[in-house]
């Protein structure tokens, strides 16, 4: 039988959350508990009838909607089948054997996979109290460093990096090092940030920003992400994307969802209110919960054993969360924020453990 290439044989299959049991609620993948915008559902229905045709290979309507809403240049936007596709193509474009990608200790797991697929080294720099330590990242730079990959806000920590820290980090990185800012949860942070923020950094040609429709917009199943960077970077990355990568239905849904900012803003506000209430309940139980700037919370139980006990009790009550041993945080569970009644069920189960 044919053998895979050695680096492929050495890859572990990518681990998503455990499959969901019958009747269980998933709080394991940070999906939105709000339905997609009604405008997105209508647009998706209309696009179904066009499915005999290939989609727009340039995602023009979606790029225009993104540019309009975020006050960006549509020519600097690239769309992917989820931001995962964009992360994989970005790594494959810029790193290979002998190169290093620096990330923080509790970085997004898929970034490590994309780097391994590209046969480069993924090096994780310690965090300070579950916060990205930009000074430690600068100290870890070597001549082999090609990319610094940061999630802001972070997954699985939920914590945000100060904009001033990111701007400082960029000044400390050599120009040949690409800074990638994965803002999958950016919409949950946007209300606290000055407009424009980090997209402006991309004009230097050494920074790329990633966003997704999977979280705040409730379109995880549609698989749409976007990347903002200078055109020379986009040209290279695009060569590694599949042509016609985003289906016509997904483009139509994402475009309508992007243009329905009121709906997205309300979903985000509801999620933040439910999250903050849930965090108060957890802290009242004496649990450690870092301040989250996302639609999930990392809950620390003090030991692996107590986290496992909580996981089992929650599963027994029909709730699946994400265990964190694979991230080196075995004492924690990552819990997606859902509607207040679901979160009350979770805090009731955790209270009963005490
Ligand atoms: C959920 C998530 C993504 C989004 O991936 P998609 O492929 O767009 O669904 C990207 N980065 C991080 C850190 C995430 O948590």
């Amino acid at each position: 039988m044919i053998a895979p290439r050695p680096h492929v044989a050495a890859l572990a299959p990518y681990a998503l959350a455990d499959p969901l049991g019958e009747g269980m609620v998933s709080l394991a993948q940070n999906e939105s508990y709000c339905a997609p915008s009604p405008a997105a559902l209508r647009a998706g229905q209309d696009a179904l009838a066009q499915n005999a045709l290939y989609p727009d290979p340039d995602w023009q309507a979606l790029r225009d909607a993104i540019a309009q809403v975020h006050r960006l240049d549509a020519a600097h936007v690239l769309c992917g089948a989820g931001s995962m596709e964009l992360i994989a193509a970005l790594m494959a474009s810029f790193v290979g054997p002998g190169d290093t990608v620096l990330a923080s200790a509790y970085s997004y797991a898929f970034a490590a996979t994309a780097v391994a697929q590209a046969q480069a080294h993924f090096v994780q720099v310690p965090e300070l109290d579950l916060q990205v330590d930009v000074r430690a990242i600068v100290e870890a730079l070597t001549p082999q460093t090609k990319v610094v990959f940061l999630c802001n806000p972070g997954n699985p920590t939920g914590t945000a990096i100060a904009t001033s820290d990111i701007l400082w980090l960029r000044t400390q990185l050599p120009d040949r090092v690409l800074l990638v800012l994965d803002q999958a949860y950016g919409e949950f942070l946007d209300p606290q940030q000055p407009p424009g923020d980090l997209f402006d950094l991309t004009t230097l040609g050494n920074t790329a920003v990633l966003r997704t429709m999977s979280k705040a917009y409730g379109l995880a199943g549609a698989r749409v992400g976007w990347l903002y960077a200078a055109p020379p970077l986009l040209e290279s990355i695009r060569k590694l994307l599949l042509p016609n990568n985003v289906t016509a239905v997904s483009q139509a849904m994402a475009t309508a969802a992007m243009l329905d900012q009121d709906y997205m803003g309300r979903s985000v506000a509801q999620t933040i209110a439910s999250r903050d209430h849930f965090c108060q309940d957890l802290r009242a139980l004496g649990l450690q919960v870092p301040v989250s700037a996302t639609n999930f919370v990392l809950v620390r139980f003090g030991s692996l054993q107590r986290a496992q006990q909580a996981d089992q009790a929650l599963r027994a009550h029909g709730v699946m969360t994400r265990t964190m041993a694979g991230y080196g945080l075995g004492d924690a569970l990552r819990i997606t924020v859902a509607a207040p009644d679901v979160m009350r069920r979770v805090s009731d189960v955790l209270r009963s453990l005490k």
Side-chain angles (χ1 to χ4, degrees):
M1 213 197 312
I2 191 167
R5 298 183 64 205
H7 76 280
V8 177
L11 276 177
Y14 188 67
L16 291 167
D18 293 349
L20 201 61
E22 184 70 20
M24 288 189 77
V25 180
S26 171
L27 303 182
Q29 298 216 90
N30 302 340
E31 293 138 318
S32 177
Y33 75 90
C34 303
S37 144
L41 296 177
R42 280 194 300 274
Q45 288 281 356
D46 292 347
L48 275 176
Q50 305 297 318
N51 261 342
L53 304 177
Y54 283 111
D56 175 357
D58 295 319
W59 329 278
Q60 197 59 55
L62 176 56
R63 288 159 72 200
D64 287 344
I66 291 166
Q68 182 190 323
V69 164
H70 288 275
R71 303 208 175 104
L72 298 172
D73 185 341
H76 297 199
V77 176
L78 206 61
C79 299
S83 42
M84 286 174 135
E85 184 191 26
L86 296 164
I87 293 168
L90 181 149
M91 293 303 179
S93 295
F94 300 117
V95 302
D99 295 331
T100 294
V101 174
L102 283 184
S104 67
Y106 307 114
S107 183
Y108 183 41
F110 183 72
T113 298
V115 171
Q117 287 172 347
Q119 296 177 264
H121 297 291
F122 191 68
V123 174
Q124 290 176 275
V125 180
E127 298 192 13
L128 272 178
D129 216 7
L130 300 178
Q131 297 270 349
V132 170
D133 182 353
V134 288
R135 275 150 204 88
I137 288 172
V138 171
E139 282 162 20
L141 286 168
T142 70
Q144 284 71 45
T145 308
K146 290 279 165 61
V147 171
V148 172
F149 181 92
L150 294 179
C151 293
N152 184 43
N155 176 8
T157 59
T159 61
I161 312 172
T163 300
S164 56
D165 276 356
I166 296 174
L167 297 175
W168 177 83
L169 173 66
R170 185 59 266 180
T171 66
Q172 301 301 302
L173 298 176
D175 199 44
R176 60 174 171 78
V177 173
L178 176 64
L179 176 62
V180 180
L181 299 169
D182 179 348
Q183 299 191 322
Y185 304 93
E187 292 80 8
F188 296 92
L189 193 58
D190 282 345
Q192 304 164 28
Q193 298 238 328
D197 66 45
L198 298 168
F199 290 113
D200 293 346
L201 270 181
T202 64
T203 56
L204 301 172
N206 53 20
T207 303
V209 176
L210 285 153
R211 291 252 173 159
T212 180
M213 304 302 291
S214 296
K215 307 288 162 53
Y217 292 90
L219 287 176
R223 311 302 304 122
V224 185
W226 54 280
L227 181 139
Y228 198 72
L233 298 178
L234 299 188
E235 269 168 42
S236 307
I237 297 167
R238 185 159 187 178
K239 291 176 191 169
L240 297 180
L241 299 177
L242 290 180
N244 297 310
N245 59 346
V246 184
T247 70
V249 171
S250 294
Q251 290 191 42
M253 292 187 83
T255 303
M258 178 58 61
L259 293 174
D260 194 354
Q261 287 292 303
D262 284 351
Y263 184 89
M264 188 277 285
R266 282 197 302 276
S267 300
V268 165
Q270 278 174 24
T271 305
I272 289 175
S274 182
R275 176 193 75 199
D276 291 349
H277 196 96
F278 179 57
C279 287
Q280 266 177 22
D281 283 355
L282 295 174
R283 293 192 184 110
L285 294 176
L287 295 168
Q288 252 190 56
V289 188
V291 174
S292 169
T294 64
N295 68 340
F296 62 85
V297 290
L298 187 75
V299 186
R300 308 196 78 181
F301 292 88
S303 71
L304 174 67
Q305 193 201 356
R306 290 175 62 136
Q308 284 174 338
Q309 188 195 5
D311 178 40
Q312 278 155 20
L314 287 167
R315 282 175 196 243
H317 285 83
V319 178
M320 193 150 83
T321 66
R322 191 70 171 263
T323 57
M324 287 284 110
Y327 280 85
L329 290 166
D331 68 323
L333 295 177
R334 193 192 67 194
I335 305 181
T336 307
V337 173
D341 60 313
V342 176
M343 301 329 283
R344 209 169 306 120
R345 173 146 52 117
V346 172
S347 40
D348 286 348
V349 171
L350 298 180
R351 190 174 302 111
S352 72
L353 295 177
K354 300 239 92 187

